[in-house]
């Protein structure tokens, strides 16, 4: 197998070498030039690069030459001009049907016969046509206009003249009626001493009913309704997010206190259900006495206590508490309580003390972050106050110096 691949490699290298030698030989043959092909008529002047050798004078001297296009004989030029006339007769119509019914712009090509013939144009009546062949205005009646095309084929110049007839465009019955109504209104506009215009009630024996266009008010109202609804939805979402942030922040602030109370009561010999009940009921008493405001974490503890009293199992109630709070710390506390209810309170005191220490550390970190954010928010007002103070000091000083 290896010998087969080796033979293929050798064959490829050999063929490549032969091709390289052959191409190099051809290139050297083509190096020496005695004549250069000129471009076809219409291609213009072409620039080519050569290297010139003159014995004793120059060697490989770079030289750029401009090679002109092929020069046509007189007969060839006349033939090109005749063909250009026939080509122009077809092209100049553009989207019009014939020269006798011109209702749209003429097409005036600058080059004909693939660039061999150049063309320029003149009109006998520039009130009808622009220089580029577009209609200046719609003619009220048929107008004959002479078009002169100057055709140049190398040195041969030929003037080709022909006529086109601009005619009024065909109008539908609706357009004709609309023009009559405009004419009637225009006549009233010329009358003096009137502060209003009577809209025609009849035209060509037909009754006319006028309705003023009021705009797309329905669409505007619909769009505004959608915008208001979207704004309300966005506002509600933002309010909900803000309330959730406030709730989560308050619950995290209360977490260390709740864990501390659990640690204290467990250390005093209470079990988990009794400690839970004492903490929840103590909050309820203070809440009813309006000693404290609503605290979401304690409200969830009260709800859990009611679930247990209504017959729900303690483990399920504690799990629901962690899920309702939705924060990692409370989920961790819920899991800790469930685990210790199952296995007993041994070791619970130590776990609660460790959790309390971590909670206080998190609370301090949160307080530092809140302080940094508050300081950042104060930067803009402080900057504005600084600018105002500088203005109060600098402006009077400047006015004093000018005086």
């Amino acid at each position: 197998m290896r010998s087969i691949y080796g033979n293929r490699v050798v064959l490829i290298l050999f063929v490549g070498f032969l091709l390289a030698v052959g191409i190099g030989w051809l290139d050297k043959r083509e190096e020496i030039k005695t004549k250069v092909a000129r471009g076809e008529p219409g291609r213009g002047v072409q620039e080519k690069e050569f290297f010139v050798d003159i014995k004793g004078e120059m060697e490989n001297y770079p030289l750029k030459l401009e090679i002109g296009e092929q020069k046509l004989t007189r007969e060839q030029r006349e033939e090109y001009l005749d063909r250009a006339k026939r080509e122009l007769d077809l092209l100049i119509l553009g989207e019009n049907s014939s020269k006798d019914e011109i209702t749209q712009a003429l097409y005036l090509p600058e080059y004909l016969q693939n660039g061999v013939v150049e063309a320029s144009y003149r009109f006998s009546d520039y009130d009808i046509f622009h220089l580029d062949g577009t209609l200046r205005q719609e003619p009220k009646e048929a107008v004959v206009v002479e078009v002169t095309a100057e055709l140049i084929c190398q040195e041969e110049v030929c003037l080709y003249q022909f006529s086109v007839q601009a005619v009024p465009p065909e109008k539908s019955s609706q357009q004709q009626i609309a023009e009559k109504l405009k004419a009637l209104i225009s006549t009233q506009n010329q009358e003096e001493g009137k502060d209003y215009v009577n809209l025609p009630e009849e035209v060509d024996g037909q009754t006319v009913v006028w309705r003023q266009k009021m705009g797309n008010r329905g669409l505007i109202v619909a769009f505004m309704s959608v915008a208001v609804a979207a704004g309300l939805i966005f506002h509600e979402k933002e309010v909900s997010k803000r309330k959730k942030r406030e709730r989560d922040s308050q619950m995290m602030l209360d977490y260390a206190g709740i864990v501390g109370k659990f640690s204290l009561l467990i250390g005093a010999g209470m079990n988990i259900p009794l400690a839970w009940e004492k903490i929840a009921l103590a909050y309820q008493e203070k809440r009813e006495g309006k000693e404290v405001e609503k605290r979401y974490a304690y409200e969830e503890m009260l709800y859990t206590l009611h679930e247990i009293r209504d017959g729900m199992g303690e483990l399920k109630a504690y799990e629901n508490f962690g899920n309702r709070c939705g924060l990692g710390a409370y989920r961790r506390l819920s899991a800790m309580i469930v685990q210790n209810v199952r296995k007993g309170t041994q070791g619970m005191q130590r776990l609660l003390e460790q959790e309390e220490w971590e909670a206080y550390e998190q609370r301090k970190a949160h307080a530092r972050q809140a302080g940094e954010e508050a300081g950042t928010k104060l930067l803009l007002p402080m900057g504005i106050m600084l600018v105002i103070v500088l203005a109060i000091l600098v402006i009077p000083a400047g006015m004093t110096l000018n005086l």
Side-chain angles (χ1 to χ4, degrees):
M1 183 67 70
R2 184 175 299 174
S3 61
I4 294 175
Y5 286 130
N7 293 336
R8 289 181 180 177
V9 171
V10 172
L11 179 61
I12 292 171
L13 292 175
F14 179 72
V15 172
F17 177 76
L18 290 180
L19 289 174
V21 172
I23 292 172
W25 180 74
L26 290 174
D27 289 342
K28 286 190 175 181
R29 282 190 60 193
E30 293 178 356
E31 281 184 359
I32 301 175
K33 290 283 187 180
T34 58
K35 58 183 179 180
V36 181
R38 299 168 71 176
E40 297 180 357
R43 295 295 180 88
V45 177
Q46 301 180 34
E47 191 176 78
K48 293 184 179 292
E49 296 184 3
F50 296 91
F51 292 98
V52 180
D53 292 336
I54 299 179
K55 189 174 181 181
E57 294 293 336
M58 60 181 66
E59 183 177 355
N60 286 337
Y61 185 81
L63 187 64
K64 293 182 180 180
L65 299 179
E66 293 182 349
I67 308 299
E69 62 184 11
Q70 297 178 21
K71 292 295 182 180
L72 301 173
T73 63
R74 183 180 181 83
E75 291 77 10
Q76 290 174 326
R77 292 197 294 270
E78 290 178 351
E79 184 178 352
Y80 269 110
L81 289 172
D82 289 338
R83 292 204 297 264
K85 293 176 184 178
R86 294 193 294 271
E87 182 181 2
L88 180 60
D89 287 337
L90 297 174
L91 294 179
I92 199 169
L93 294 177
E95 297 183 2
N96 298 284
S97 58
S98 69
K99 293 180 181 179
D100 295 329
E101 295 182 0
I102 302 298
T103 59
Q104 302 184 59
L106 299 174
Y107 174 59
L108 306 178
E110 296 183 7
Y111 297 94
L112 298 165
Q113 293 298 299
N114 295 323
V116 179
V117 179
E118 298 180 22
S120 59
Y121 306 89
R122 298 192 300 272
F123 295 94
S124 62
D125 190 349
Y126 285 101
D127 292 335
I128 303 299
F129 290 99
H130 289 283
L131 289 174
D132 60 357
T134 56
L135 287 167
R136 190 178 294 273
Q137 59 183 355
E138 293 182 358
K140 297 182 180 179
E141 58 184 11
V143 179
V144 177
V145 179
E146 291 287 335
V147 182
T148 301
E150 184 178 10
L151 307 178
I152 303 174
C153 181
Q154 294 184 354
E155 294 84 8
E156 193 78 20
V157 180
C158 173
L159 294 178
Y160 178 45
Q161 293 182 335
F162 55 90
S163 299
V164 296
Q165 182 173 247
V167 297
E170 294 184 2
K171 297 180 180 179
S172 64
S173 59
Q174 293 179 346
Q175 291 174 326
Q176 294 175 9
I177 293 174
E179 289 187 354
K180 290 179 181 179
L181 292 172
K182 288 181 180 180
L184 293 173
I185 298 300
S186 178
T187 301
Q188 292 193 50
N189 287 334
Q190 303 302 321
E191 297 178 0
E192 299 178 353
K194 287 190 174 183
D195 55 358
Y196 59 88
V197 172
N198 291 317
L199 298 176
E201 298 180 359
E202 188 178 72
V203 63
D204 292 343
Q206 297 180 345
T207 302
V208 181
V209 178
W210 298 86
R211 291 191 303 273
Q212 188 172 2
K213 187 175 181 180
M214 301 304 293
N216 297 323
R217 294 184 295 179
L219 290 176
I220 294 174
V221 171
F223 176 77
M224 291 179 63
S225 301
V226 172
V228 170
L232 288 175
I233 293 172
F234 177 77
H235 176 70
E236 289 179 0
K237 287 185 177 180
E238 288 299 315
V239 170
S240 176
K241 288 180 181 179
R242 178 173 57 81
K243 288 182 177 179
K244 186 177 184 306
R245 286 195 298 268
E246 292 176 354
R247 173 183 179 272
D248 293 347
S249 178
Q250 186 197 83
M251 292 181 73
M252 289 306 300
L253 288 175
D254 291 340
Y255 181 69
I258 292 174
V259 175
K261 291 176 182 178
F262 264 113
S263 177
L264 182 63
L265 295 175
I266 295 298
M270 288 189 182
N271 58 16
I272 292 294
L274 187 58
W276 190 286
E277 180 177 355
K278 187 171 182 60
I279 295 172
L281 292 178
Y283 162 74
Q284 184 179 19
E285 183 179 350
K286 291 181 180 181
R287 184 81 173 89
E288 292 174 351
K290 297 183 180 179
E291 298 180 23
V292 295
E293 62 180 4
K294 181 179 180 180
R295 311 302 292 182
Y296 295 102
Y298 290 96
E299 292 289 337
E300 294 296 340
M301 291 184 70
L302 268 176
Y303 189 84
T304 301
L305 180 61
H306 293 318
E307 285 184 334
I308 295 173
R309 288 180 174 180
D310 291 340
M312 181 179 290
E314 290 184 2
L315 297 180
K316 182 63 177 176
Y318 295 142
E319 288 177 357
N320 290 344
F321 168 78
N323 293 331
R324 286 196 306 272
C325 291
L327 296 174
Y330 284 92
R331 290 179 185 274
R332 190 164 58 251
L333 177 63
S334 172
M336 189 187 309
I337 292 173
V338 169
Q339 182 179 1
N340 282 271
V341 168
R342 287 173 176 169
K343 297 182 179 180
T345 57
Q346 185 178 1
M348 186 65 174
Q349 177 72 23
R350 182 178 56 81
L351 293 175
L352 288 172
E353 289 177 354
Q354 181 179 356
E355 186 70 19
E356 181 183 4
W357 180 82
E358 292 179 358
Y360 275 113
E361 290 296 322
Q362 292 179 0
R363 185 171 180 175
K364 288 192 291 184
H366 180 74
R368 283 196 299 269
Q369 182 180 358
E372 293 173 356
E373 291 177 357
T376 304
K377 292 178 181 178
L378 288 175
L379 286 178
L380 180 60
M382 291 173 63
I384 295 174
M385 291 177 63
L386 177 62
V387 172
I388 293 173
V389 171
L390 290 176
I392 293 173
L393 295 175
V394 172
I395 292 175
M399 294 175 65
T400 304
L401 291 175
N402 290 334
L403 292 175

